[in-house]
Amino acid sequence: SRMREALRRDFCAKLAAMSADARGQLRQVLLVQSQIPIPVVDCLCSGSITHSTLAGNAELAHFVDSGKAVQPMLEVCGSMRRSYLSLNTVWEELKEWLDSASAITACNDEWELLVTVGTLGLPIEVKRRASTDLTPYAIEVTRVCASPADTPSFMAALRADSPIVPPEGGAAVADLLVLVDPDAPRASRLAMSSPLIREVYTSMVHCRELHMCQGPAMHLALHAHALFNVVQPPSPGVRKEDLEAHMHRQFLGRAYQCAVCSFGPIDHFACGDLAAHNGQRVGNGVINNACPRCGWFSRVLSEWPKWDGTVPEEALLSCLQDENEPRHITAASIEIALRICYSARVLWDAGEKGEAHKLCTKLANWDTLTSADGLEHPVQLLLALAVVDKLPDGIFGSVAMSQLLNEVCARRAEDEFHRVGATVGRRRTGAFLGVSYFSAPKVDHDLSAARQCEAVLESCRSDYAIDPDAFDFKSWVKGALAPWSHAVLFVRRLRHALNSREGGWNRLARDMESGPAAYADVTIEMQQPARNRDSLAALLGVRCKEDTQRVLATIAAQAFLHSTPQSRRTKDVGGLLNEPLGDVREEQTLRGLAVHLRMMYYYDNLAEKQRRYNELRKELDRGHVHSLSKQDFWELWHASFGEDRRRFLMSANQFFLDRYG
């Protein structure tokens, strides 16, 4: 079968990549652990085994197909990775596709197939959006675990509604990121390309439906979001979700809480009379069975309510992070990130004619990067920067990076405004720039003259007064871009490592198939501490500390006022802009945004006056204008010009006509 041939080819390729010393170690292990003829072991470890050799040697082929040599070979290569549930290596898991042929035939639906055969993947937490948004990138990967697991075990647990906690602890996980595995590249790619994994399982991970797959984009979206998550440095604190999950597993159902302040969990055990040992000295401590928070106490255990699972604020303080503490990506995270990139290169055309390279070219050319330009999500571009064969020149320059980071902020603003409304962006910007409705141009009574927007625009004020206390735009921008500074740092380090060694990605892919020792230099280089040139300010091209506040204010204002894709594109490509958005580093750009906000207020006022005028005009069609209230009468009179004024005079009384006609 195709799977057997793929496993054989992967085995031979792995064996051929081993050094003579490594093959010697493998020979010694096989002679000790396996009851097989010495000639078979000698032939296997000779360094001349190929796929065609196996086809002509039935005894050797049978031994290779049995998988007995796989585990020793992976151990010698340093690539031993197995599911923490089934304890299978990727080879053993894929071999199930051959050994379970009769079980596969007996399956009645996709659920039964998914719990019968599968492959290995990395446990992930997936945050899904509303069911109305089924685009491939409408998800977020909030956690990637390093310990691999197998899809059949996960599907069986999901079907039984049984939570699975990874060896790393913390919150339970229910999904796997399936990758093309460099330890078995051909066989894992074959499994991943099967409809069962490619469509059915991927659909389950994305939207908890079996038949909602939208093609390769779903695979790439999972790869991209997972890469963005895994390249972040480890948090010095404990994730709130992990702490809560751990405490629930340990105490929920057995612990108690205070009947007065609800503090819990309080773990009373071993004795029902809480007064018996209360105050007793044990070693250097004293037993205290009272509430640690408010001091309430009852000696009767039944008067203590069972803990309801609410984790107290005191415990959650351990989740707080020190923003000033230096953090660096770990070797384990680098290994996962490289595996994600390796897999993405197999699934995505990384050549100059592929989609990934086209996205990078857009960035290098300073083109707009909205969804209308083909960029579904910024993490898609991050993945492209990591996996393409060759990047365009100057792509990590300050202008290109500023373009990317501004797009990140604009998309974050758009997501927020979907929940709270677009007018929030104007209020925020007006608050921290000191721009209000009252500083906008006034609408002339002559609405026809008021529509002469060019003249109004020229007279519009461009002043601003930055007020960080009105809205904390600094924290907003840094919260959006700090993760991206780590992501860009990873990509830059990766590209530098690839340029430093001959062969680029093709060589790195071969080294990853050989084993960790072959690309240890890449891992070491990518763990170097960040330097000043890797900071967020350096990415944005901010060289003067005094300009930082203004640049951050410009980024926030531009994101809030131009949050929709059309508002960031020029009219020649279907957008709303006459000219591209300005450089956030330039002071004139912020002045332009202040003008833009005032003109938005002006247009709102103009539209409201026009609406009001249209309502009052209907009175002209109904007869005498003196039936209007005094305010409406004079408002309509001042707004009427030309034919409308003539009609007004004709419907007015003679006294008014004699005076104003």
Side-chain angles (χ1 to χ4, degrees):
S1 69
R2 294 174 61 191
M3 182 60 74
R4 177 177 287 106
E5 180 179 352
L7 287 170
R8 285 182 177 182
R9 289 184 180 276
D10 286 338
F11 182 89
C12 293
K14 192 85 170 178
L15 198 61
M18 296 174 66
S19 65
D21 290 341
R23 288 197 300 273
Q25 295 178 38
L26 176 61
R27 180 179 183 278
Q28 296 300 321
V29 173
L30 291 176
L31 289 176
V32 172
Q33 295 184 358
S34 304
Q35 300 299 320
I36 56 173
I38 294 179
V40 172
V41 175
D42 290 339
C43 181
L44 189 71
C45 301
S46 64
S48 59
I49 294 297
T50 63
H51 177 260
S52 57
T53 305
L54 287 181
N57 189 329
E59 185 179 17
L60 186 60
H62 176 74
F63 176 67
V64 170
D65 292 342
S66 70
K68 294 179 180 179
V70 171
Q71 181 173 333
M73 181 176 66
L74 293 177
E75 289 177 344
V76 170
C77 294
S79 302
M80 174 55 68
R81 300 171 70 251
R82 59 172 76 243
S83 167
Y84 67 85
L85 296 173
S86 68
L87 302 183
N88 284 341
T89 65
V90 63
W91 297 68
E92 293 166 332
E93 199 65 44
L94 294 172
K95 188 172 177 290
E96 292 291 329
W97 292 68
L98 302 174
D99 299 340
S100 304
S102 58
I104 294 173
T105 306
C107 291
N108 297 316
D109 53 32
E110 287 90 346
W111 270 105
E112 292 185 9
L113 280 171
L114 287 169
V115 300
T116 302
V117 293
T119 184
L120 296 193
L122 296 174
I124 56 176
E125 288 181 13
V126 180
K127 182 179 179 181
R128 301 169 183 84
R129 294 190 181 180
S131 58
T132 54
D133 191 354
L134 296 178
T135 54
Y137 285 87
I139 59 170
E140 181 182 355
V141 176
T142 57
R143 183 187 180 196
V144 181
C145 300
S147 303
D150 60 289
T151 57
S153 296
F154 261 63
M155 289 305 299
L158 184 63
R159 191 172 191 180
D161 196 23
S162 177
I164 295 179
V165 179
E168 295 87 346
V173 289
D175 298 292
L176 292 178
L177 172 65
V178 177
L179 303 174
V180 177
D181 198 319
D183 294 329
R186 297 166 185 81
S188 60
R189 182 178 185 178
L190 185 61
M192 196 168 181
S193 63
S194 68
L196 184 67
I197 302 298
R198 183 186 70 235
E199 299 175 6
V200 181
Y201 184 74
T202 302
S203 179
M204 281 294 299
V205 173
H206 255 270
C207 48
R208 284 294 179 263
E209 296 287 344
L210 288 174
H211 303 291
M212 297 296 291
C213 184
Q214 300 180 31
M218 277 191 166
H219 281 293
L220 293 174
L222 286 169
H223 280 63
H225 281 290
L227 177 64
F228 180 76
N229 176 270
V230 82
V231 297
Q232 305 302 319
S235 169
V238 181
R239 284 199 330 159
K240 177 177 178 291
E241 299 87 345
D242 293 339
L243 178 63
E244 290 178 339
H246 175 73
M247 295 185 74
H248 287 170
R249 285 195 299 270
Q250 186 172 2
F251 296 109
L252 197 59
R254 85 172 198 194
Y256 300 86
Q257 67 183 37
C258 177
V260 175
C261 69
S262 300
F263 179 89
I266 300 173
D267 197 17
H268 294 316
F269 63 93
C271 181
D273 184 0
L274 300 181
H277 302 284
N278 193 43
Q280 178 180 333
R281 179 172 295 278
V282 179
N284 294 326
V286 177
I287 296 176
N288 181 8
N289 286 329
C291 173
R293 177 190 284 170
C294 71
W296 176 81
F297 174 75
S298 174
R299 68 181 301 160
V300 182
L301 188 59
S302 60
E303 294 182 0
W304 291 77
K306 283 286 189 178
W307 182 47
D308 62 5
T310 302
V311 178
E313 292 295 328
E314 293 89 333
L316 294 177
L317 290 176
S318 64
C319 301
L320 297 179
Q321 302 179 11
D322 184 357
E323 297 293 337
N324 298 319
E325 182 177 343
R327 296 177 291 153
H328 312 295
I329 188 172
T330 64
S333 296
I334 292 173
E335 171 69 18
I336 295 173
L338 292 177
R339 284 178 172 268
I340 292 173
C341 294
Y342 172 93
S343 178
R345 281 180 53 84
V346 176
L347 303 174
W348 208 11
D349 185 357
E352 292 187 359
K353 296 183 179 180
E355 180 189 21
H357 192 274
K358 291 178 181 177
L359 291 176
C360 294
T361 302
K362 283 181 178 290
L363 178 60
N365 293 340
W366 309 346
D367 294 338
T368 52
L369 301 170
T370 68
S371 56
D373 298 297
L375 184 65
E376 294 296 328
H377 193 285
V379 296
Q380 185 182 12
L381 183 54
L382 173 69
L383 185 64
L385 290 170
V387 304
V388 293
D389 290 334
K390 184 178 180 181
L391 287 174
D393 294 336
I395 198 166
F396 291 116
S398 58
V399 176
M401 289 295 99
S402 177
Q403 186 90 338
L404 171 60
L405 298 179
N406 285 327
E407 182 67 20
V408 169
C409 288
R411 299 218 186 188
R412 178 182 177 181
E414 185 178 22
D415 287 342
E416 289 184 7
F417 298 161
H418 280 160
R419 299 189 299 269
V420 300
T423 56
V424 172
R426 292 193 199 180
R427 291 201 298 267
R428 290 178 180 176
T429 308
F432 69 76
L433 290 186
V435 175
S436 69
Y437 169 88
F438 300 102
S439 65
K442 306 304 179 186
V443 177
D444 195 281
H445 288 303
D446 183 355
L447 295 184
S448 61
R451 297 188 188 96
Q452 303 299 318
C453 298
E454 291 185 5
V456 177
L457 183 61
E458 289 181 1
S459 64
C460 185
R461 292 167 51 183
S462 64
D463 58 294
Y464 59 86
I466 298 177
D467 182 6
D469 295 329
F471 175 77
D472 191 1
F473 60 87
K474 295 181 181 179
S475 296
W476 189 91
V477 173
K478 291 179 180 179
L481 299 185
W484 276 91
S485 65
H486 299 305
V488 172
L489 173 60
F490 168 82
V491 173
R492 290 172 62 178
R493 291 273 175 85
L494 175 60
R495 303 312 306 197
H496 182 268
L498 292 172
N499 293 334
S500 301
R501 54 193 342 247
E502 295 182 4
W505 249 117
N506 290 330
R507 179 189 169 188
L508 179 57
R510 292 194 301 270
D511 290 344
M512 291 180 67
E513 293 168 4
S514 299
Y519 59 97
D521 59 311
V522 176
T523 303
I524 293 173
E525 180 171 343
M526 296 182 69
Q527 283 186 279
Q528 298 300 316
R531 296 180 286 272
N532 290 335
R533 66 183 183 184
D534 301 317
S535 67
L536 182 58
L539 287 178
L540 292 169
V542 180
R543 295 180 175 85
C544 180
K545 187 176 181 180
E546 289 73 19
D547 293 337
T548 302
Q549 176 174 264
R550 176 178 52 79
V551 172
L552 293 179
T554 306
I555 294 174
Q558 187 167 281
F560 294 159
L561 300 181
H562 297 274
S563 60
T564 63
Q566 293 81 3
S567 66
R568 300 195 296 277
R569 307 180 83 213
T570 54
K571 290 181 178 178
D572 59 321
V573 291
L576 302 174
L577 299 175
N578 293 319
E579 297 179 354
L581 292 174
D583 189 336
V584 295
R585 297 170 297 178
E586 300 294 333
E587 199 263 349
Q588 193 61 33
T589 300
L590 188 54
R591 289 190 172 274
L593 291 169
V595 171
H596 179 67
L597 179 56
R598 289 189 172 98
M599 290 302 295
M600 293 174 77
Y601 290 139
Y602 173 80
Y603 291 134
D604 286 347
N605 194 11
L606 178 61
E608 176 58 26
K609 284 187 175 293
Q610 183 65 57
R611 183 194 64 80
R612 176 66 176 160
Y613 177 58
N614 291 337
E615 289 181 357
L616 294 175
R617 283 184 62 187
K618 296 177 182 178
E619 299 297 330
L620 294 177
D621 301 328
R622 295 173 184 165
H624 212 280
V625 293
H626 289 287
S627 62
L628 297 171
S629 67
K630 181 179 180 180
Q631 179 180 349
D632 291 346
F633 179 91
W634 288 109
E635 184 178 351
L636 181 57
W637 166 249
H638 289 305
S640 299
F641 292 91
E643 178 63 23
D644 288 338
R645 171 139 316 181
R646 189 186 67 80
R647 292 175 60 203
F648 187 99
L649 292 171
M650 290 179 62
S651 64
N653 59 32
Q654 188 63 40
F655 176 79
F656 187 87
L657 182 62
D658 292 342
R659 183 171 182 179
Y660 294 99

